[in-house]
Amino acid sequence: MKQLKYLIYLTIVSMLYFPVSHAKNTINNSSSPNVVFFLVDDLGWADIEDNGSKIYDTPNINKLANQGVSFNQAYAAHPLCIGSRYAIMTGNYPARIKQSKQFGTMQPKETSLAEAFKNGGYNTFFAGKWHLGKSGAYPQDQGFDINIGGHDMGAPQHYFYPYGEKDNPRKVPDLDQIDNSGDYLTDSLTEKALSFIDANKKSPFFLYLSHYAVHVPLESKEVHKNEAQKRIDKHKYSGQAYRKLKEATEKLHQDNAAYAGMVKSIDVSLGAIMEKLEKLNLDKNTIIVFTSDNGGESTKVYKNSGKATSNQPLKAGKCWLYEGGIRVPLIVRWPGKVPANIISKQSVTGVDHFPTLLELAGLPLMPNHHEDGRSYMRALIQKKDTQRDSMYWHFPAEHGTGRLAKACGTPSGTAIRDGNFKLINWYNNDRLELYNLSTDIGESRDIAQENPMKTKALLNKLVQWQGSMGITPKHNSF
């Protein structure tokens, strides 16, 4: 019965994308590289083995890193999902538009990354979490030929079929028609992506697999949860398990088995995508980008499951402008074009993916659209790390998701990273904090008072940037 459902699904897929995309195939041909953008929700920088985790089992992520370039100074453009996803889709900071007070919902007038690829002759596919607008601004309205499960909600009610109770808005749409009892959401989305690759193996495609995991609710497959619990029971933790962080309490140990199990399912998903590409001889002509939308959740307590993860040695997590909230894993693989097993120190932020992918695919850049993005192609192809322009973050926690910010214990603020220095302007106590990330990745020592000239210079740049974004500056008269 399930196979019949998938045959029907594949037929619908073919009817949806072939007439549209092939009619527009005026730039690309069969030699154009495919693109798989693999986005994980709330996966912290320290949640993979290559970045130091001793608890989370990520062999496929490790394999991807061994076959491509890993960026150890990559960032989300916002400490929460909507703003971060907006930045990826538009190449612009979420602070640039008025709607950024809701952290960057997509507007119909904006040109998305998917539209750029679709106009370049690519078949486009989306599966998973969208969270960038209500009906009328869904993936299919923003350049994706196919949308599986993407709507305005940011998390499912459950990760097991039917993914929610009857008539609950957090129930994932579409999948109740083709999934069965016992199905796990991460696996289901992966299967739909694999079906798309099978159906599209002879045409260039842009596949955006945007997992709901590892966002709450923390629900893992039992087999992965049990395996993780054994590793947790054997691990010898050192130091305190929690510490006070402003008004919050931060988790310092990775010891949540349910979360670890969810990370494992994400790793299995990536492995399945890689295996499918290799089986179809598409791997050498496919760019894979693996990243997260913000840091791991380390300060909010969830009902019946506690805090999700620890981002140590980074400070804090999701919702925060400290490194734990915005630094994310980033791996890019393109066999034969991107060198293998390279760690890049190039600074990258979420707005940079748009111009980079266009450049890698040989599509024309669109500087009037991705205004804030800077291509990091040279760091990939030529292994040349360059000094990126200053990077900025704006988190008006009193707007939009103030309830979540309060639950995380984080205040409003704006931040700038310029070279190795990072300045945070916290609004609630009119406080400036300055850190040298080259020597203090954990942001343990505020050096603002002993470096007044550097602090003032960065504050001036921050205020100028806020003005360019149409934001009324809130700053300390340092």
Side-chain angles (χ1 to χ4, degrees):
M1 185 65 182
K2 191 170 183 179
Q3 287 183 329
L4 177 60
K5 288 182 179 181
Y6 275 110
L7 286 173
I8 296 171
Y9 166 77
L10 286 171
T11 301
I12 294 172
V13 166
S14 299
M15 291 173 64
L16 279 170
Y17 71 72
F18 275 115
V20 176
S21 300
H22 284 265
K24 291 192 175 185
N25 196 349
T26 58
I27 299 175
N28 285 50
N29 54 48
S30 60
S31 65
S32 299
N34 306 306
V35 176
V36 173
F37 200 96
F38 193 106
L39 183 64
V40 191
D41 194 354
D42 288 0
L43 184 75
W45 177 85
D47 284 347
I48 64 177
E49 290 179 87
D50 270 12
N51 288 340
S53 178
K54 305 297 183 185
I55 299 301
Y56 306 137
D57 186 26
T58 59
N60 292 302
I61 300 174
N62 298 348
K63 179 180 177 181
L64 190 75
N66 290 337
Q67 295 176 348
V69 175
S70 299
F71 292 83
N72 64 6
Q73 298 189 62
Y75 291 88
H78 197 275
L80 280 174
C81 48
I82 299 179
S84 175
R85 290 161 185 270
Y86 172 87
I88 294 170
M89 271 294 142
T90 65
N92 288 319
Y93 287 120
R96 186 169 282 280
I97 60 169
K98 185 177 180 181
Q99 286 76 13
S100 67
K101 292 186 177 180
Q102 301 300 324
F103 303 109
T105 52
M106 287 282 291
Q107 303 300 301
K109 64 181 181 180
E110 295 174 280
T111 298
S112 73
L113 180 58
E115 287 173 305
F117 272 92
K118 184 174 180 178
N119 291 335
Y122 278 69
N123 300 322
T124 56
F125 172 90
F126 181 92
K129 175 173 174 174
W130 179 244
H131 207 202
L132 287 175
K134 296 185 180 297
S135 181
Y138 283 173
Q140 63 268 31
D141 305 306
Q142 300 285 359
F144 286 100
D145 298 323
I146 301 160
N147 169 30
I148 301 294
H151 61 145
D152 57 306
M153 300 303 293
Q157 188 179 20
H158 296 294
Y159 275 90
F160 291 94
Y161 182 87
Y163 314 120
E165 309 301 332
K166 185 178 180 181
D167 298 326
N168 188 295
R170 293 173 64 191
K171 185 175 182 179
V172 182
D174 306 321
L175 297 182
D176 57 339
Q177 302 299 315
I178 52 180
D179 284 359
N180 297 315
S181 178
D183 285 348
Y184 187 66
L185 181 56
T186 302
D187 296 344
S188 175
L189 295 173
T190 305
E191 290 171 357
K192 308 306 182 292
L194 296 175
S195 296
F196 175 80
I197 294 173
D198 267 324
N200 192 47
K201 56 192 172 186
K202 294 184 179 180
S203 304
F205 60 79
F206 175 74
L207 187 158
Y208 199 96
L209 180 53
S210 176
H211 277 295
Y212 281 96
V214 289
H215 195 288
V216 293
L218 301 184
E219 294 178 351
S220 169
K221 297 170 72 171
E222 281 299 312
V223 61
H224 295 329
K225 181 179 179 180
N226 292 337
E227 290 171 354
Q229 190 62 58
K230 291 178 182 178
R231 291 193 299 275
I232 290 169
D233 292 341
K234 292 180 181 179
H235 187 70
K236 294 182 179 180
Y237 294 93
S238 61
Q240 60 190 37
Y242 299 92
R243 71 177 172 189
K244 191 71 175 175
L245 179 63
K246 296 188 186 297
E247 300 302 317
T249 302
E250 179 187 5
K251 185 179 180 66
L252 301 179
H253 292 167
Q254 293 181 341
D255 57 8
N256 190 310
Y259 184 85
M262 295 177 78
V263 172
K264 178 63 177 180
S265 287
I266 285 294
D267 186 79
V268 170
S269 171
L270 177 64
I273 296 293
M274 295 166 67
E275 182 179 1
K276 173 65 70 175
L277 293 171
E278 292 167 10
K279 183 178 180 180
L280 296 177
N281 295 317
L282 296 175
D283 54 314
K284 291 181 175 58
N285 197 39
T286 301
I287 302 163
I288 297 180
V289 178
F290 174 92
T291 192
S292 174
D293 65 345
N294 50 248
E297 179 54 82
S298 66
T299 62
K300 184 181 178 185
V301 177
Y302 295 104
K303 186 178 180 181
N304 301 324
S305 58
K307 301 178 194 293
T309 190
S310 168
N311 297 300
Q312 288 290 299
L314 306 184
K315 187 176 183 178
K318 177 180 178 179
C319 296
W320 292 82
L321 293 175
Y322 291 124
E323 292 292 285
I326 54 178
R327 191 179 291 214
V328 294
L330 172 62
I331 305 169
V332 181
R333 186 192 82 166
W334 188 8
K337 300 294 178 64
V338 169
N341 199 26
I342 296 293
I343 297 177
S344 173
K345 295 181 180 179
Q346 173 76 42
S347 293
V348 174
T349 187
V351 297
D352 298 337
H353 300 306
F354 199 136
T356 303
L357 289 174
L358 291 185
E359 199 166 11
L360 288 173
L363 295 176
L365 295 178
M366 307 170 69
N368 291 332
H369 296 286
H370 48 76
E371 295 181 67
D372 299 316
R374 303 291 181 266
S375 174
Y376 54 91
M377 188 179 79
R378 288 186 68 196
L380 289 170
I381 303 299
Q382 301 174 17
K383 297 189 291 184
K384 291 185 178 180
D385 296 339
T386 57
Q387 182 70 51
R388 194 202 184 281
D389 299 343
S390 299
M391 298 181 292
Y392 301 89
W393 295 267
H394 178 59
F395 184 37
E398 69 274 16
H399 294 292
T401 57
R403 177 184 57 81
L404 177 57
K406 183 178 180 180
C408 292
T410 183
S412 298
T414 307
I416 175 176
R417 174 166 177 174
D418 185 80
N420 290 323
F421 289 92
K422 178 178 169 189
L423 181 76
I424 307 175
N425 181 13
W426 296 114
Y427 296 163
N428 65 322
N429 58 4
D430 200 26
R431 177 179 172 82
L432 295 171
E433 296 177 10
L434 179 68
Y435 300 99
N436 185 340
L437 298 177
S438 66
T439 58
D440 184 18
I441 191 175
E443 296 168 294
S444 61
R445 184 167 174 265
D446 176 11
I447 58 173
Q449 294 300 321
E450 57 195 84
N451 292 272
M453 293 185 67
K454 172 62 73 172
T455 300
K456 187 173 182 179
L458 292 185
L459 178 60
N460 287 338
K461 291 187 75 170
L462 190 56
V463 169
Q464 289 174 10
W465 175 79
Q466 287 176 299
S468 72
M469 296 289 115
I471 301 167
T472 301
K474 296 182 180 180
H475 63 278
N476 186 305
S477 55
F478 188 81

